[in-house]
Amino acid sequence: MLRIYPVALDWLKAVRPLIAQIARYDGDLAKQLRRSSSSVILNLGEGMYSRGGHGLPCAIGLASSAAAFAAEQEMCGVLA
């Protein structure tokens, strides 16, 4: 198992309430954040057992994208 996998699961648990909060203001962005967050977990799961695949780099890219969405919403005042 990748050491980052449990960290990503904890992150997903923490971001779920933020997704609900964002959904009140921007449903499309909340859906995108939900999908990208799920993709992080799924790509890490795929990357754990692949050899030479692209699972881990893809998961890292999606994680940074999801973090950027959350930061953007915080700056716009949607997240307190």
Side-chain angles (χ1 to χ4, degrees), residues 2-25:
L2 294 172
R3 290 180 288 178
I4 191 68
Y5 187 72
V7 175
L9 290 175
D10 289 342
W11 174 80
L12 182 59
K13 186 177 181 179
V15 82
R16 286 182 60 207
L18 301 178
I19 293 171
Q21 194 173 352
I22 291 169
R24 287 184 258 166
Y25 297 94

Side-chain angles (χ1 to χ4, degrees), residues 38-53:
S38 295
S39 291
V40 169
I41 302 302
L42 296 174
N43 282 313
L44 284 172
E46 180 182 337
M48 279 193 282
Y49 301 106
S50 67
R51 296 279 185 214

